[in-house]
Amino acid sequence: HGDWENRRDRREARVYLYEHADFRGGVIVLRPGEFVENLARWSFDNGRIANDRISSIRIEGDAEVALYVHAGFHGEALRVDRDIRDLGAKFRGNLGFNDQISSVRVRFDRDDRGPGRGPDRDRPAAIDYDLVIRRAYQ
């Protein structure tokens, strides 16, 4: 039963990247194992280009997201494993991640036994190819 629960929790893990603070505006939904190398090539569900426009993040399930200020997973990075209502307010005084994100990588986190830890941490998990194809046609 525990193993089935663990698989179900992992399948249901999601990261929601929102265009505006307070989880408003357009959204991009990613699962652990998915990544976006360049947000300039992605749009929120409302059609707006997502590069340098992420302002809040919601996380469901066993996931962590790494946010980078440059495409290709370069530049200043921030790891998040909980909801952030306003990237501007939360990180005021630092580099500032509000409207600065250009690439993201989602992975499993909170389970030290899972693929989100250790030497395979950066290796993508199984990819949902149907989801990738659907997004390509959007």
Side-chain angles (χ1 to χ4, degrees), residues 19 25-28 40 42-50 53 138:
E19 180 180 12
V27 65
I28 291 174
W42 280 62
S43 297
F44 292 107
D45 63 349
N46 64 7
R48 293 193 65 187
I49 298 296
R53 287 199 175 131
Q138 288 181 342

Side-chain angles (χ1 to χ4, degrees), residues 8-118:
R8 187 185 65 162
D9 289 346
R10 289 177 182 272
R11 191 175 61 246
E12 293 174 358
R14 301 276 191 286
V15 171
Y16 300 83
L17 307 172
Y18 290 92
E19 180 180 12
H20 302 302
D22 296 320
F23 318 115
R24 294 179 301 114
V27 65
I28 291 174
V29 182
L30 297 172
R31 295 177 180 165
E34 294 183 327
F35 56 89
V36 180
E37 189 169 357
N38 188 350
L39 280 166
R41 298 182 188 136
W42 280 62
S43 297
F44 292 107
D45 63 349
N46 64 7
R48 293 193 65 187
I49 298 296
N51 191 51
D52 292 341
R53 287 199 175 131
I54 295 171
S55 294
S56 57
I57 299 165
R58 190 164 55 90
I59 295 181
E60 288 182 355
D62 188 24
E64 174 189 79
V65 62
L67 309 165
Y68 300 85
V69 297
H70 298 304
F73 317 110
H74 296 291
E76 194 73 25
L78 173 69
R79 293 193 192 287
V80 176
D81 65 358
R82 67 193 187 298
D83 294 355
I84 300 206
R85 181 173 296 281
D86 184 348
L87 281 167
K90 178 69 177 169
F91 302 100
R92 189 174 292 130
N94 293 337
L95 171 70
F97 286 88
N98 185 54
D99 292 343
Q100 298 294 316
I101 307 304
S102 294
S103 57
V104 298
R105 189 185 307 264
V106 181
R107 50 178 69 104
F108 294 110
D109 180 43
R110 299 176 190 131
D111 180 356
D112 287 340
R113 297 165 295 145
R117 299 278 185 196

